[in-house]
Amino acid sequence: ISEAINEAGFVIPQIGKNLVFNLYDLGGTQNRKRVILFGVNKNKLFNHVDVIEKFYSSMRRQSEDKNKNVRYAIGDLEVLKPLEKGKGRQSHEQSPADPLHRCRFHNGRDIEIFQMLAKDKQSDSPKFSSSEALKTLYFEKVGKTSNVHKYNVIEWDKPSNLIPAHLHKDGLRHIHPDPEQARSITMREAARLQDFPDSYIFNGSQSDIFKMIGNAVSPLMARKIAQAVKMAFN
């Protein structure tokens, strides 16, 4: 990567762990680590080393207190409980006020698993705290084996795990922390964990929107990068 960028006429720092920035450290509500490469045209700027260092110093200075968590991001949203009798492809209540605050369809088996795991996460002696226990559960309930555990309950008082584009296919690794809701997260919850404001409009199907949110650069991280660029050239 460094050689290709150098051949294109740009200078970047040596690629290493010091170029990795976590959205959570920048004030977000999600553990989302990204390598940020900042380079300048070596034929346009003679002080490119200073400019690059100013950028990364600014990024590091923008780290904030780690006091935001899942509850901060989604705790005020409407409760969406399972319906006693599903309506077609609708298994849970939906928000009448927010079209993005609805979850994908879940069958009875998965609803039961989600509720059990969310309760287990809150217990003093959880049974499913290890990957092996979760893989065994998956085999017992689904009849299939997996090299990685399929289930993960996000926790109220911690940052969320990574919101991926794969969320458009399933939400097993993003189970809501409330056992009464027994579901995966909604599009609105995924967007908030990516620090999108509620005023931001997403167009498309549920699958398209989940994919867009997972593929996106968090607006918060984008703003932090833009501020660091501004500082570098001041």
Side-chain angles (χ1 to χ4, degrees):
I1 292 173
S2 298
E3 289 176 1
I5 291 176
N6 184 65
E7 289 175 3
F10 289 82
V11 178
I12 62 170
Q14 182 176 354
I15 299 175
K17 291 184 177 180
N18 61 319
L19 307 187
V20 177
F21 293 87
N22 190 346
L23 177 60
Y24 181 55
D25 295 332
L26 296 172
T29 55
Q30 175 194 171
N31 276 315
R32 190 180 190 87
K33 295 180 180 179
R34 291 292 181 265
V35 176
I36 307 299
L37 294 180
F38 176 80
V40 297
N41 190 323
K42 58 186 176 184
N43 298 316
K44 300 290 185 180
L45 288 175
F46 295 106
N47 62 334
H48 48 258
V49 174
D50 293 337
V51 172
I52 291 172
E53 179 52 38
K54 283 179 68 177
F55 170 83
Y56 286 104
S57 295
S58 178
M59 285 292 294
R60 286 187 283 271
R61 284 199 303 272
Q62 292 188 78
S63 295
E64 298 183 9
D65 293 336
K66 301 180 181 68
N67 57 1
K68 294 181 181 178
N69 51 32
V70 168
R71 192 185 306 276
Y72 174 90
I74 67 173
D76 63 326
L77 290 171
E78 293 174 74
V79 172
L80 306 179
K81 294 183 179 180
L83 298 170
E84 289 187 10
K85 189 175 182 180
K87 300 177 181 178
R89 295 298 293 173
Q90 181 183 341
S91 60
H92 286 69
E93 297 169 344
Q94 295 185 6
S95 169
D98 186 349
L100 266 70
H101 192 41
R102 61 176 186 266
C103 68
R104 70 185 78 242
F105 172 83
H106 297 302
N107 59 38
R109 178 199 66 197
D110 284 347
I111 291 173
E112 180 184 312
I113 293 171
F114 295 164
Q115 186 175 60
M116 178 183 64
L117 289 175
K119 286 182 177 179
D120 183 73
K121 181 72 77 171
Q122 296 176 2
S123 70
D124 294 331
S125 302
K127 299 178 182 177
F128 302 102
S129 56
S130 70
S131 296
E132 291 305 314
L134 289 168
K135 286 191 281 188
T136 299
L137 175 67
Y138 182 72
F139 177 74
E140 290 175 350
K141 296 293 185 178
V142 183
K144 299 179 181 178
T145 59
S146 174
N147 292 326
V148 296
H149 69 85
K150 294 284 189 178
Y151 301 115
N152 179 70
V153 179
I154 60 176
E155 300 181 60
W156 284 124
D157 300 321
K158 293 182 180 180
S160 167
N161 56 331
L162 180 75
I163 301 296
H166 188 263
L167 192 58
H168 83 281
K169 291 188 176 181
D170 71 67
L172 298 183
R173 293 184 63 82
H174 296 83
I175 301 169
H176 195 281
D178 181 5
E180 296 301 314
Q181 301 191 51
R183 59 175 176 82
S184 60
I185 61 174
T186 66
M187 294 173 284
R188 174 61 67 207
E189 289 162 342
R192 283 201 180 180
L193 292 171
Q194 270 278 59
D195 291 285
F196 277 98
D198 289 354
S199 59
Y200 191 92
I201 297 173
F202 293 91
N203 289 316
S205 66
Q206 178 176 263
S207 179
D208 290 339
I209 292 173
F210 271 129
K211 190 184 297 185
M212 281 190 279
I213 293 169
N215 273 329
V217 173
S218 162
L220 173 61
M221 179 169 275
R223 184 168 71 249
K224 297 287 187 179
I225 293 170
Q227 290 169 342
V229 171
K230 181 181 179 181
M231 290 296 297
F233 285 107
N234 276 347

